[in-house]
Amino acid sequence: MSSAAASVEHVTTSPATLTTAPILVSPLVSTQWLCDHLGSDALVVLDATVLSVTAFDGRQAWLSGLDDYLVTGHIPSAVFADLLEELSDVSAPFGFTRPSTARFEEVVTAFGITNGTTVVVYDSAQGQWAARLWWLFRAFGYDQVAVLDGGLTKWNAEERPVETGYTEPAPAADPFFATEQPHSWVDKSFVESVLDGRTDALLLCALAPREFSGEAGRRSRPGHIPGSVNVSATRLIDRETNKLLRRDALRVAFEQIIDEALAGRRVVVYCGSGILAASDALALTLLGVPDVSIYDGSLAEWVADPAAPVVATVAAH
């Protein structure tokens, strides 16, 4: 293999195969990069779309994106990844709780993914679902995965090819093995330790400003965890392209915490259910922040405890 080829591919082996997979140099890839690499050996593309719907009682509810994937279309060869049930712990009291290591390994192997596979994840929204699945991979010790910048929205705007119907995953040559990274997550007791001064960390809320302030939202107790800084995940997206903002603009968005975060102070990101938090975590990772964790229970768990303090204020930005 030439040195030029070696810069974009790596070789993976199994007892029965010798394959090459595109190398990722960032947790974000462009639509052109994906178009250029579609069909590559050991590349799996995952559609992680979840749809927001209004329930009969007026509350926000979530619906699998499978029907849209089948009927409206998806990127060619993309496999549907169900974040609602397959990649969440449905037995947990709060939605989108991360799955067990064994469950994650089982589902990912069924997608045709091994520890030598390059994975690209996208959704049809603003990237928050793709970011959540990217974070799950990262939290289970696998970094050869990236989010498609702009997602299906940008792909379609560029009139790139789509397919309808179901894509059957190719059988995995070997099972996927996860290596859990406990530091990727924090629990409610950790956040409580930050509030009472026993632990040093920055609390970052990824909700929209009006939800952060308590002016909007349907949670039983509106507002945010005391001491939090608000950087809304939706404001990290360029509305014209659906891409993440450029890095200089991202730095401005995180200006309240970026210097301390880059210096190594731990950042704990949360939102309503740990989804938008993954978008903030992705942006911080792109900026080189070394110590980021997600509070998986987020406000769904926090506000369920009447003793857990919640602050409602005027939105800061």
Side-chain angles (χ1 to χ4, degrees), residues 21-75:
I23 276 199
L24 299 173
V25 296
S26 167
L28 203 65
V29 297
S30 68
T31 52
Q32 186 60 56
W33 185 98
L34 182 56
C35 194
D36 290 343
H37 289 87
L38 272 182
S40 298
D41 290 333
L43 171 67
V44 171
V45 182
L46 299 176
D47 184 325
T49 298
V50 176
L51 303 176
S52 174
V53 296
T54 302
F56 292 114
D57 61 1
R59 293 178 179 272
Q60 184 182 43
W62 305 112
L63 183 68
S64 168
L66 179 58
D67 284 348
D68 266 16
Y69 165 91
L70 295 172
V71 177
T72 305
H74 55 84
I75 292 174

CSV table of all heavy atoms in Angstrom, one decimal, residues 21-75:
chain,number,residue,atom,x,y,z
A,21,ALA,N,-10.8,-0.4,5.8
A,21,ALA,CA,-11.8,0.5,6.3
A,21,ALA,C,-11.3,1.9,6.2
A,21,ALA,O,-10.1,2.1,6.6
A,21,ALA,CB,-12.2,0.1,7.7
A,22,PRO,N,-12.1,2.9,5.9
A,22,PRO,CA,-11.7,4.3,5.9
A,22,PRO,C,-11.3,4.7,7.3
A,22,PRO,O,-12.0,4.4,8.2
A,22,PRO,CB,-12.9,5.0,5.4
A,22,PRO,CG,-13.8,4.0,4.7
A,22,PRO,CD,-13.5,2.7,5.4
A,23,ILE,N,-10.2,5.5,7.3
A,23,ILE,CA,-9.8,6.0,8.6
A,23,ILE,C,-10.4,7.3,8.9
A,23,ILE,O,-10.6,8.1,8.0
A,23,ILE,CB,-8.2,6.1,8.7
A,23,ILE,CG1,-7.6,4.8,9.0
A,23,ILE,CG2,-7.8,7.2,9.6
A,23,ILE,CD1,-6.2,4.9,9.5
A,24,LEU,N,-10.8,7.5,10.2
A,24,LEU,CA,-11.4,8.8,10.6
A,24,LEU,C,-10.3,9.6,11.3
A,24,LEU,O,-9.6,9.1,12.2
A,24,LEU,CB,-12.6,8.5,11.5
A,24,LEU,CG,-13.7,7.7,11.0
A,24,LEU,CD1,-14.8,7.4,12.1
A,24,LEU,CD2,-14.4,8.5,9.8
A,25,VAL,N,-10.3,10.9,11.0
A,25,VAL,CA,-9.4,11.8,11.7
A,25,VAL,C,-10.1,12.8,12.6
A,25,VAL,O,-9.5,13.6,13.2
A,25,VAL,CB,-8.4,12.5,10.7
A,25,VAL,CG1,-7.5,11.5,10.0
A,25,VAL,CG2,-9.2,13.3,9.7
A,26,SER,N,-11.4,12.7,12.6
A,26,SER,CA,-12.3,13.6,13.3
A,26,SER,C,-13.6,12.9,13.7
A,26,SER,O,-14.0,11.9,13.0
A,26,SER,CB,-12.6,14.8,12.5
A,26,SER,OG,-13.6,15.6,13.1
A,27,PRO,N,-14.2,13.3,14.8
A,27,PRO,CA,-15.5,12.7,15.0
A,27,PRO,C,-16.7,13.2,14.2
A,27,PRO,O,-17.8,13.0,14.4
A,27,PRO,CB,-15.8,13.0,16.5
A,27,PRO,CG,-15.0,14.3,16.7
A,27,PRO,CD,-13.8,14.1,15.9
A,28,LEU,N,-16.3,14.0,13.1
A,28,LEU,CA,-17.2,14.6,12.2
A,28,LEU,C,-16.7,14.3,10.8
A,28,LEU,O,-15.6,14.6,10.5
A,28,LEU,CB,-17.3,16.1,12.5
A,28,LEU,CG,-18.6,16.8,12.1
A,28,LEU,CD1,-19.8,16.4,12.9
A,28,LEU,CD2,-18.4,18.3,12.3
A,29,VAL,N,-17.6,13.9,9.9
A,29,VAL,CA,-17.3,13.8,8.5
A,29,VAL,C,-18.3,14.5,7.6
A,29,VAL,O,-19.4,14.7,8.0
A,29,VAL,CB,-17.2,12.3,8.0
A,29,VAL,CG1,-16.1,11.5,8.8
A,29,VAL,CG2,-18.6,11.6,8.2
A,30,SER,N,-17.8,14.9,6.5
A,30,SER,CA,-18.7,15.7,5.5
A,30,SER,C,-19.5,14.7,4.7
A,30,SER,O,-19.2,13.6,4.5
A,30,SER,CB,-17.8,16.6,4.7
A,30,SER,OG,-17.0,15.8,3.8
A,31,THR,N,-20.5,15.3,4.0
A,31,THR,CA,-21.3,14.5,3.1
A,31,THR,C,-20.4,14.1,1.9
A,31,THR,O,-20.6,13.0,1.4
A,31,THR,CB,-22.5,15.3,2.6
A,31,THR,OG1,-22.0,16.6,2.1
A,31,THR,CG2,-23.5,15.6,3.7
A,32,GLN,N,-19.5,14.9,1.5
A,32,GLN,CA,-18.6,14.5,0.4
A,32,GLN,C,-17.7,13.3,0.8
A,32,GLN,O,-17.5,12.4,0.0
A,32,GLN,CB,-17.8,15.7,-0.1
A,32,GLN,CG,-16.9,15.4,-1.3
A,32,GLN,CD,-17.8,15.0,-2.5
A,32,GLN,OE1,-18.7,15.8,-2.9
A,32,GLN,NE2,-17.6,13.9,-3.1
A,33,TRP,N,-17.2,13.4,2.0
A,33,TRP,CA,-16.4,12.3,2.5
A,33,TRP,C,-17.2,11.0,2.5
A,33,TRP,O,-16.7,10.0,2.0
A,33,TRP,CB,-15.9,12.6,4.0
A,33,TRP,CG,-15.0,11.5,4.5
A,33,TRP,CD1,-13.6,11.6,4.5
A,33,TRP,CD2,-15.3,10.3,5.1
A,33,TRP,NE1,-13.1,10.5,5.1
A,33,TRP,CE2,-14.1,9.6,5.5
A,33,TRP,CE3,-16.5,9.6,5.3
A,33,TRP,CZ2,-14.0,8.4,6.1
A,33,TRP,CZ3,-16.5,8.3,5.9
A,33,TRP,CH2,-15.2,7.7,6.3
A,34,LEU,N,-18.4,11.0,3.0
A,34,LEU,CA,-19.2,9.8,3.0
A,34,LEU,C,-19.5,9.3,1.6
A,34,LEU,O,-19.5,8.1,1.3
A,34,LEU,CB,-20.5,10.0,3.8
A,34,LEU,CG,-21.4,8.8,3.9
A,34,LEU,CD1,-20.7,7.6,4.5
A,34,LEU,CD2,-22.7,9.1,4.7
A,35,CYS,N,-19.9,10.3,0.7
A,35,CYS,CA,-20.2,9.9,-0.7
A,35,CYS,C,-19.0,9.2,-1.3
A,35,CYS,O,-19.1,8.2,-2.0
A,35,CYS,CB,-20.6,11.1,-1.4
A,35,CYS,SG,-21.4,10.8,-3.0
A,36,ASP,N,-17.8,9.7,-1.0
A,36,ASP,CA,-16.6,9.2,-1.6
A,36,ASP,C,-16.3,7.8,-1.1
A,36,ASP,O,-15.6,7.0,-1.8
A,36,ASP,CB,-15.4,10.1,-1.3
A,36,ASP,CG,-15.4,11.4,-2.1
A,36,ASP,OD1,-16.2,11.5,-3.0
A,36,ASP,OD2,-14.7,12.3,-1.7
A,37,HIS,N,-16.7,7.5,0.1
A,37,HIS,CA,-16.4,6.2,0.8
A,37,HIS,C,-17.5,5.2,0.8
A,37,HIS,O,-17.3,4.1,1.3
A,37,HIS,CB,-15.9,6.5,2.2
A,37,HIS,CG,-14.5,7.1,2.2
A,37,HIS,ND1,-14.3,8.5,2.2
A,37,HIS,CD2,-13.3,6.6,2.3
A,37,HIS,CE1,-13.1,8.8,2.2
A,37,HIS,NE2,-12.4,7.7,2.3
A,38,LEU,N,-18.7,5.6,0.4
A,38,LEU,CA,-19.8,4.6,0.4
A,38,LEU,C,-19.4,3.4,-0.4
A,38,LEU,O,-18.9,3.5,-1.5
A,38,LEU,CB,-21.1,5.2,-0.2
A,38,LEU,CG,-22.0,6.0,0.7
A,38,LEU,CD1,-23.2,6.5,-0.1
A,38,LEU,CD2,-22.4,5.1,1.9
A,39,GLY,N,-19.7,2.2,0.1
A,39,GLY,CA,-19.3,1.0,-0.5
A,39,GLY,C,-18.0,0.4,-0.1
A,39,GLY,O,-17.6,-0.7,-0.5
A,40,SER,N,-17.2,1.2,0.7
A,40,SER,CA,-15.9,0.7,1.2
A,40,SER,C,-16.1,-0.5,2.1
A,40,SER,O,-17.1,-0.6,2.8
A,40,SER,CB,-15.2,1.8,2.0
A,40,SER,OG,-15.0,2.9,1.2
A,41,ASP,N,-15.1,-1.4,2.0
A,41,ASP,CA,-15.1,-2.5,2.9
A,41,ASP,C,-15.1,-2.0,4.4
A,41,ASP,O,-14.4,-1.0,4.7
A,41,ASP,CB,-13.9,-3.4,2.7
A,41,ASP,CG,-14.0,-4.1,1.4
A,41,ASP,OD1,-15.2,-4.4,0.9
A,41,ASP,OD2,-13.0,-4.5,0.8
A,42,ALA,N,-15.7,-2.7,5.3
A,42,ALA,CA,-15.7,-2.4,6.7
A,42,ALA,C,-16.2,-1.0,7.0
A,42,ALA,O,-15.7,-0.4,8.0
A,42,ALA,CB,-14.3,-2.7,7.2
A,43,LEU,N,-17.1,-0.4,6.2
A,43,LEU,CA,-17.8,0.8,6.6
A,43,LEU,C,-19.2,0.5,6.8
A,43,LEU,O,-19.9,-0.1,5.9
A,43,LEU,CB,-17.6,1.8,5.4
A,43,LEU,CG,-18.4,3.1,5.6
A,43,LEU,CD1,-18.0,4.0,6.8
A,43,LEU,CD2,-18.4,4.0,4.3
A,44,VAL,N,-19.8,0.9,7.9
A,44,VAL,CA,-21.2,0.8,8.2
A,44,VAL,C,-21.8,2.1,8.5
A,44,VAL,O,-21.2,2.9,9.3
A,44,VAL,CB,-21.5,-0.2,9.4
A,44,VAL,CG1,-22.9,-0.2,9.8
A,44,VAL,CG2,-21.1,-1.6,9.0
A,45,VAL,N,-22.9,2.5,7.8
A,45,VAL,CA,-23.6,3.7,8.0
A,45,VAL,C,-24.8,3.4,8.8
A,45,VAL,O,-25.6,2.5,8.4
A,45,VAL,CB,-23.9,4.4,6.7
A,45,VAL,CG1,-24.6,5.8,6.9
A,45,VAL,CG2,-22.6,4.6,5.8
A,46,LEU,N,-25.1,4.2,9.8
A,46,LEU,CA,-26.3,4.0,10.7
A,46,LEU,C,-27.2,5.2,10.7
A,46,LEU,O,-26.7,6.4,10.8
A,46,LEU,CB,-25.8,3.7,12.1
A,46,LEU,CG,-25.0,2.5,12.4
A,46,LEU,CD1,-24.5,2.4,13.9
A,46,LEU,CD2,-25.7,1.2,12.0
A,47,ASP,N,-28.5,5.0,10.5
A,47,ASP,CA,-29.5,6.0,10.6
A,47,ASP,C,-30.1,6.0,12.0
A,47,ASP,O,-30.7,5.0,12.3
A,47,ASP,CB,-30.5,5.8,9.5
A,47,ASP,CG,-31.6,6.9,9.5
A,47,ASP,OD1,-32.0,7.5,10.5
A,47,ASP,OD2,-32.1,7.2,8.4
A,48,ALA,N,-29.8,7.0,12.8
A,48,ALA,CA,-30.3,7.0,14.2
A,48,ALA,C,-31.5,7.9,14.5
A,48,ALA,O,-31.7,8.3,15.6
A,48,ALA,CB,-29.1,7.4,15.1
A,49,THR,N,-32.3,8.1,13.4
A,49,THR,CA,-33.3,9.1,13.6
A,49,THR,C,-34.4,8.7,14.6
A,49,THR,O,-34.9,7.5,14.6
A,49,THR,CB,-34.0,9.3,12.2
A,49,THR,OG1,-33.0,9.9,11.3
A,49,THR,CG2,-35.2,10.3,12.3
A,50,VAL,N,-34.8,9.6,15.4
A,50,VAL,CA,-36.0,9.5,16.3
A,50,VAL,C,-36.8,10.8,16.0
A,50,VAL,O,-36.3,11.9,15.8
A,50,VAL,CB,-35.6,9.5,17.8
A,50,VAL,CG1,-36.8,9.5,18.6
A,50,VAL,CG2,-34.7,8.2,18.0
A,51,LEU,N,-38.1,10.6,15.9
A,51,LEU,CA,-39.0,11.7,15.6
A,51,LEU,C,-39.7,12.2,16.8
A,51,LEU,O,-40.1,11.5,17.7
A,51,LEU,CB,-40.1,11.2,14.5
A,51,LEU,CG,-39.5,10.6,13.2
A,51,LEU,CD1,-40.7,10.1,12.4
A,51,LEU,CD2,-38.7,11.7,12.5
A,52,SER,N,-39.9,13.5,16.8
A,52,SER,CA,-40.6,14.2,17.9
A,52,SER,C,-42.1,14.4,17.5
A,52,SER,O,-42.3,14.9,16.4
A,52,SER,CB,-40.0,15.6,18.2
A,52,SER,OG,-40.8,16.3,19.2
A,53,VAL,N,-43.0,13.9,18.3
A,53,VAL,CA,-44.4,14.1,18.0
A,53,VAL,C,-45.1,14.7,19.2
A,53,VAL,O,-44.6,14.6,20.3
A,53,VAL,CB,-45.0,12.7,17.6
A,53,VAL,CG1,-44.4,12.2,16.3
A,53,VAL,CG2,-44.9,11.7,18.7
A,54,THR,N,-46.3,15.2,19.0
A,54,THR,CA,-47.1,15.7,20.1
A,54,THR,C,-48.2,14.6,20.5
A,54,THR,O,-49.0,14.2,19.6
A,54,THR,CB,-47.8,17.0,19.7
A,54,THR,OG1,-46.8,17.9,19.3
A,54,THR,CG2,-48.7,17.5,20.8
A,55,ALA,N,-48.1,14.2,21.7
A,55,ALA,CA,-49.1,13.2,22.2
A,55,ALA,C,-50.5,13.8,22.4
A,55,ALA,O,-50.7,15.0,22.3
A,55,ALA,CB,-48.6,12.6,23.5
A,56,PHE,N,-51.5,13.0,22.7
A,56,PHE,CA,-52.8,13.4,22.8
A,56,PHE,C,-53.0,14.4,24.0
A,56,PHE,O,-53.9,15.3,23.9
A,56,PHE,CB,-53.8,12.2,23.1
A,56,PHE,CG,-53.9,11.3,21.9
A,56,PHE,CD1,-53.4,10.0,21.9
A,56,PHE,CD2,-54.5,11.8,20.7
A,56,PHE,CE1,-53.5,9.2,20.8
A,56,PHE,CE2,-54.6,10.9,19.6
A,56,PHE,CZ,-54.1,9.7,19.7
A,57,ASP,N,-52.1,14.3,25.0
A,57,ASP,CA,-52.2,15.3,26.1
A,57,ASP,C,-51.4,16.5,25.9
A,57,ASP,O,-51.3,17.4,26.8
A,57,ASP,CB,-51.8,14.6,27.4
A,57,ASP,CG,-50.3,14.1,27.4
A,57,ASP,OD1,-49.7,14.3,26.3
A,57,ASP,OD2,-49.8,13.5,28.4
A,58,GLY,N,-50.9,16.7,24.7
A,58,GLY,CA,-50.1,17.9,24.4
A,58,GLY,C,-48.6,17.8,24.7
A,58,GLY,O,-47.9,18.7,24.4
A,59,ARG,N,-48.2,16.7,25.3
A,59,ARG,CA,-46.8,16.6,25.7
A,59,ARG,C,-46.0,16.1,24.5
A,59,ARG,O,-46.5,15.4,23.6
A,59,ARG,CB,-46.7,15.6,26.9
A,59,ARG,CG,-47.3,16.1,28.2
A,59,ARG,CD,-47.1,15.1,29.3
A,59,ARG,NE,-47.7,15.6,30.6
A,59,ARG,CZ,-47.0,16.3,31.4
A,59,ARG,NH1,-45.7,16.6,31.2
A,59,ARG,NH2,-47.5,16.7,32.6
A,60,GLN,N,-44.7,16.4,24.6
A,60,GLN,CA,-43.8,15.8,23.6
A,60,GLN,C,-43.6,14.3,23.8
A,60,GLN,O,-43.5,13.9,24.9
A,60,GLN,CB,-42.4,16.6,23.7
A,60,GLN,CG,-41.5,16.2,22.6
A,60,GLN,CD,-40.1,16.9,22.7
A,60,GLN,OE1,-39.6,17.0,23.8
A,60,GLN,NE2,-39.6,17.4,21.7
A,61,ALA,N,-43.6,13.6,22.7
A,61,ALA,CA,-43.4,12.2,22.7
A,61,ALA,C,-42.4,11.8,21.6
A,61,ALA,O,-42.1,12.6,20.7
A,61,ALA,CB,-44.7,11.4,22.6
A,62,TRP,N,-41.9,10.6,21.7
A,62,TRP,CA,-40.9,10.2,20.7
A,62,TRP,C,-41.4,9.0,19.9
A,62,TRP,O,-42.1,8.1,20.5
A,62,TRP,CB,-39.6,9.8,21.4
A,62,TRP,CG,-39.1,10.9,22.3
A,62,TRP,CD1,-39.0,11.0,23.6
A,62,TRP,CD2,-38.6,12.2,21.8
A,62,TRP,NE1,-38.5,12.2,24.1
A,62,TRP,CE2,-38.2,13.0,23.0
A,62,TRP,CE3,-38.4,12.8,20.6
A,62,TRP,CZ2,-37.7,14.2,22.9
A,62,TRP,CZ3,-37.9,14.1,20.5
A,62,TRP,CH2,-37.6,14.8,21.7
A,63,LEU,N,-41.0,9.0,18.7
A,63,LEU,CA,-41.5,7.9,17.7
A,63,LEU,C,-40.3,7.4,17.0
A,63,LEU,O,-39.4,8.2,16.5
A,63,LEU,CB,-42.6,8.5,16.8
A,63,LEU,CG,-43.2,7.5,15.8
A,63,LEU,CD1,-44.0,6.5,16.6
A,63,LEU,CD2,-44.1,8.3,14.8
A,64,SER,N,-40.2,6.1,16.8
A,64,SER,CA,-39.1,5.6,16.0
A,64,SER,C,-39.1,6.2,14.6
A,64,SER,O,-40.1,6.4,14.0
A,64,SER,CB,-39.2,4.1,15.9
A,64,SER,OG,-38.3,3.5,14.9
A,65,GLY,N,-37.9,6.4,14.1
A,65,GLY,CA,-37.8,7.0,12.7
A,65,GLY,C,-37.8,5.9,11.6
A,65,GLY,O,-37.5,6.2,10.5
A,66,LEU,N,-38.1,4.6,12.0
A,66,LEU,CA,-38.0,3.5,11.1
A,66,LEU,C,-38.9,3.7,9.9
A,66,LEU,O,-38.5,3.5,8.7
A,66,LEU,CB,-38.4,2.2,11.8
A,66,LEU,CG,-38.4,0.9,10.9
A,66,LEU,CD1,-37.0,0.8,10.3
A,66,LEU,CD2,-38.8,-0.3,11.7
A,67,ASP,N,-40.2,4.2,10.1
A,67,ASP,CA,-41.1,4.4,8.9
A,67,ASP,C,-40.6,5.4,8.0
A,67,ASP,O,-40.6,5.2,6.7
A,67,ASP,CB,-42.5,4.8,9.4
A,67,ASP,CG,-43.3,3.6,10.0
A,67,ASP,OD1,-42.8,2.5,9.9
A,67,ASP,OD2,-44.3,3.9,10.7
A,68,ASP,N,-40.0,6.5,8.5
A,68,ASP,CA,-39.4,7.5,7.6
A,68,ASP,C,-38.2,6.9,6.8
A,68,ASP,O,-38.0,7.1,5.6
A,68,ASP,CB,-38.9,8.7,8.4
A,68,ASP,CG,-40.0,9.8,8.4
A,68,ASP,OD1,-41.1,9.5,8.1
A,68,ASP,OD2,-39.6,11.0,8.7
A,69,TYR,N,-37.4,6.1,7.5
A,69,TYR,CA,-36.3,5.4,6.9
A,69,TYR,C,-36.8,4.5,5.7
A,69,TYR,O,-36.2,4.5,4.7
A,69,TYR,CB,-35.6,4.6,8.0
A,69,TYR,CG,-34.6,3.6,7.5
A,69,TYR,CD1,-33.3,3.9,7.4
A,69,TYR,CD2,-35.0,2.3,7.3
A,69,TYR,CE1,-32.4,2.9,6.9
A,69,TYR,CE2,-34.1,1.3,6.9
A,69,TYR,CZ,-32.8,1.6,6.7
A,69,TYR,OH,-31.9,0.6,6.3
A,70,LEU,N,-37.8,3.8,6.0
A,70,LEU,CA,-38.3,2.9,5.0
A,70,LEU,C,-39.0,3.5,3.8
A,70,LEU,O,-38.8,3.2,2.6
A,70,LEU,CB,-39.3,1.9,5.6
A,70,LEU,CG,-38.8,0.9,6.7
A,70,LEU,CD1,-39.9,0.2,7.3
A,70,LEU,CD2,-37.8,0.0,6.1
A,71,VAL,N,-39.8,4.6,4.1
A,71,VAL,CA,-40.7,5.1,3.1
A,71,VAL,C,-40.1,6.4,2.4
A,71,VAL,O,-40.0,6.5,1.2
A,71,VAL,CB,-42.1,5.4,3.7
A,71,VAL,CG1,-43.0,6.1,2.6
A,71,VAL,CG2,-42.7,4.2,4.2
A,72,THR,N,-39.6,7.3,3.3
A,72,THR,CA,-39.1,8.6,2.8
A,72,THR,C,-37.7,8.4,2.2
A,72,THR,O,-37.3,9.0,1.2
A,72,THR,CB,-39.0,9.6,3.9
A,72,THR,OG1,-40.3,9.8,4.4
A,72,THR,CG2,-38.6,11.0,3.3
A,73,GLY,N,-36.9,7.5,2.8
A,73,GLY,CA,-35.6,7.2,2.2
A,73,GLY,C,-34.5,7.4,3.2
A,73,GLY,O,-34.6,8.1,4.2
A,74,HIS,N,-33.4,6.8,2.8
A,74,HIS,CA,-32.2,6.8,3.7
A,74,HIS,C,-30.9,6.8,2.8
A,74,HIS,O,-31.0,6.5,1.6
A,74,HIS,CB,-32.1,5.7,4.7
A,74,HIS,CG,-32.3,4.3,4.0
A,74,HIS,ND1,-31.2,3.6,3.5
A,74,HIS,CD2,-33.4,3.5,3.8
A,74,HIS,CE1,-31.6,2.5,3.0
A,74,HIS,NE2,-32.9,2.4,3.2
A,75,ILE,N,-29.8,7.1,3.3
A,75,ILE,CA,-28.5,7.0,2.6
A,75,ILE,C,-28.3,5.6,2.1
A,75,ILE,O,-28.6,4.7,2.9
A,75,ILE,CB,-27.4,7.6,3.5
A,75,ILE,CG1,-27.6,9.1,3.7
A,75,ILE,CG2,-26.0,7.3,2.8
A,75,ILE,CD1,-26.6,9.7,4.6
